[in-house]
Amino acid sequence: MILKREAPPTTVIWSDALLEYRFSETHPMDPVRLDLTVRLARGLGIWERESLTVVEPRLATVDELATVHDRDYIDAVRRVSADPSAPEPLLGLGTEDNPAFGGMHEAAARLAGASILAADAVLEGRSLHAVNFAGGMHHAGRAAAAGFSIYNDAALAIRRLLDGGLERVLYIDVDAHHGDGVERIFWDDPRVLTISLHESGISLFPGTGFANEVGAQPAAGQAVNVALPLGTDDAGWLRAFHAVVPQLAETFSPEAIVSQHGCDGHVRDELTNLRLSVDGQRQNMLDVRDLAERLCGGRWVALGGGGYDAVGVVPRAWAHLLAIASGAPVPLRTPVPQEWLDYVRERYGLEAPVGMSDGVELWWRSWEVGYDPGDAVDRAVLATRKEVFPLYGLDPYFD
């Protein structure tokens, strides 16, 4: 007999005000990707599910932002926000990646506040799952903006969970870019395990996230990095995830998971060099959900992140995320609603994919099958396992 999975109560933080996080007309991080995600989720019937509650975001307060950012930096963001003609490039404000714009502080603080609300929903037991797909700004550091990120909402969500009484939080980052800002903020905090799977810094910004970057005492081994070679496809990416993440997660025994689901590793994304499909990204979302169910009573905060094919990839990937979080994954064979396709064509003059799948054959080899020293992905995985697994009493070759 097949038991039906009960739909978990799920909070989604959203309002059109989140579209105000926009650097310029030509910046790669175009908030149209968020609008199209909502429209697609509505067209697929996800938005109206009984298990899903939509909550409007609020601005994070200065005191809340100061739990992970220096107050001098917050003051600088506010100054540049009020007068974009006076950038502070040494703090990453008014650079090519992070152009200054009027209202920048408010837009970034709202995005940060959305992730804090997501953490609150899980922490207070109102939801098992919470999603802020507008979030995932994982590059911002304590005292500087970087990589399209002004305030680090992922770190703020983790901090909220810790301040609310949790003792162990697992952060999983599968964006194509290294989750450097979150890692550094919790570099020496033994309550947080950060695991980032990303394209190697040899070929991609921010140039960090190598296997030997493992954190500092008293948290040595709690920064985990899998630096994958350019061209890694679904099979290699999922093999790497399953060869590293479940083993460390089980040993760490988290009380909640915060995950960042940047979908810029897709083969269509022009800013990265991985070759993933929406099918592979959807499978990874299922894997993270299953870890949360198995290890921490289902407590899961899911964030967005990178993703720069605003029509062909992001809406489908994050609609899958919303569907999985709210208890009923959208089958891969599902067609994209014609109304949504017509809207994209009429509004943007573009032809979008007609299905929720990329039509790939999804498979991967288990690590237990054996290690191939001639395979670049296997070498990356083994480098990480050799650096970190012994610190957890695990064998890098067999566990």
Side-chain angles (χ1 to χ4, degrees):
M1 181 176 67
I2 298 176
L3 297 177
K4 185 177 180 180
R5 183 188 295 268
E6 185 176 348
T10 301
T11 294
V12 175
I13 314 299
W14 175 255
S15 81
D16 287 349
L18 289 168
L19 300 174
E20 294 172 11
Y21 191 81
R22 180 170 191 164
F23 290 104
S24 73
E25 293 293 326
T26 58
H27 194 278
M29 184 172 280
D30 190 335
V32 69
R33 66 198 189 128
L34 306 179
D35 176 64
L36 289 178
T37 295
V38 174
R39 290 177 183 274
L40 181 56
R42 285 183 170 136
L44 291 166
I46 301 167
W47 208 253
E48 290 75 30
R49 289 179 178 177
E50 291 185 4
S51 61
L52 190 150
T53 301
V54 179
V55 173
E56 289 204 1
R58 62 166 178 81
L59 272 64
T61 67
V62 170
D63 285 345
E64 287 172 331
L65 294 170
T67 62
V68 303
H69 293 292
D70 290 351
R71 288 184 182 271
D72 288 347
Y73 169 66
I74 299 168
D75 289 343
V77 175
R78 297 174 76 182
R79 287 194 303 271
V80 174
S81 178
D83 182 7
S85 67
E88 300 203 25
L90 293 180
L91 299 179
L93 303 170
T95 63
E96 182 179 1
D97 275 0
N98 307 303
F101 65 95
M104 181 170 64
H105 165 75
E106 290 77 13
R110 183 178 294 108
L111 189 152
S115 288
I116 291 172
L117 287 177
D120 281 342
V122 170
L123 185 64
E124 296 166 6
R126 289 181 280 111
S127 292
L128 272 182
H129 301 163
V131 182
N132 175 21
F133 57 88
M137 303 297 104
H138 60 168
H139 292 306
R142 288 189 184 277
F148 313 161
S149 306
I150 305 301
Y151 295 133
N152 197 316
D153 67 286
L156 284 160
I158 296 168
R159 180 69 71 192
R160 188 63 151 218
L161 294 171
L162 296 173
D163 290 346
L166 300 193
E167 297 180 353
R168 293 178 308 281
V169 177
L170 169 60
Y171 175 69
I172 300 172
D173 189 317
V174 296
D175 195 287
H177 301 83
H178 176 221
D180 57 333
V182 182
E183 176 185 278
R184 284 291 164 174
I185 287 169
F186 298 106
W187 185 249
D188 57 358
D189 191 332
R191 300 173 298 172
V192 182
L193 171 61
T194 65
I195 306 178
S196 178
L197 282 82
H198 49 266
E199 182 181 332
S200 171
I202 292 174
S203 56
L204 193 66
F205 174 89
T208 56
F210 297 98
N212 63 351
E213 298 170 32
V214 299
Q217 293 294 354
Q222 289 185 218
V224 180
N225 290 291
V226 185
L228 296 167
L230 70 168
T232 297
D233 59 10
D234 290 328
W237 191 61
L238 291 168
R239 174 168 164 80
F241 181 92
H242 287 279
V244 172
V245 179
Q247 299 87 335
L248 295 176
E250 288 169 9
T251 304
F252 182 65
S253 189
E255 295 174 287
I257 292 175
V258 176
S259 56
Q260 197 266 23
H261 294 274
C263 52
D264 49 356
H266 194 277
V267 65
R268 289 176 54 139
D269 200 291
E270 295 184 355
L271 296 192
T272 74
N273 306 291
L274 300 181
R275 300 187 61 80
L276 308 182
S277 68
V278 165
D279 307 50
Q281 292 169 335
R282 173 184 179 276
Q283 177 60 50
N284 180 255
M285 296 165 189
L286 292 167
D287 295 334
V288 174
R289 179 207 62 187
D290 291 348
L291 279 177
E293 287 187 354
R294 184 156 52 89
L295 301 178
C296 49
R299 288 183 290 274
W300 177 29
V301 176
L303 309 174
Y308 308 103
D309 186 329
V311 170
V313 175
V314 179
R316 291 187 299 151
W318 290 347
H320 277 304
L321 180 63
L322 289 165
I324 290 165
S326 56
V330 171
L332 287 170
R333 64 180 178 274
T334 303
V336 170
Q338 187 62 47
E339 182 180 4
W340 188 85
L341 294 171
D342 291 343
Y343 175 81
V344 170
R345 184 181 303 111
E346 293 166 8
R347 176 69 176 80
Y348 300 104
L350 297 172
E351 297 296 326
V354 298
M356 292 298 290
S357 165
D358 285 330
V360 302
E361 183 178 349
L362 197 62
W363 67 276
W364 67 93
R365 292 185 301 120
S366 167
W367 187 258
E368 285 70 26
V369 170
Y371 158 65
D372 179 1
D375 186 286
V377 171
D378 278 18
R379 293 197 300 271
V381 170
L382 185 58
T384 299
R385 288 173 63 111
K386 287 172 71 174
E387 289 284 351
V388 176
F389 273 38
L391 300 175
Y392 289 81
L394 300 172
D395 189 315
Y397 290 95
F398 300 107
D399 281 297

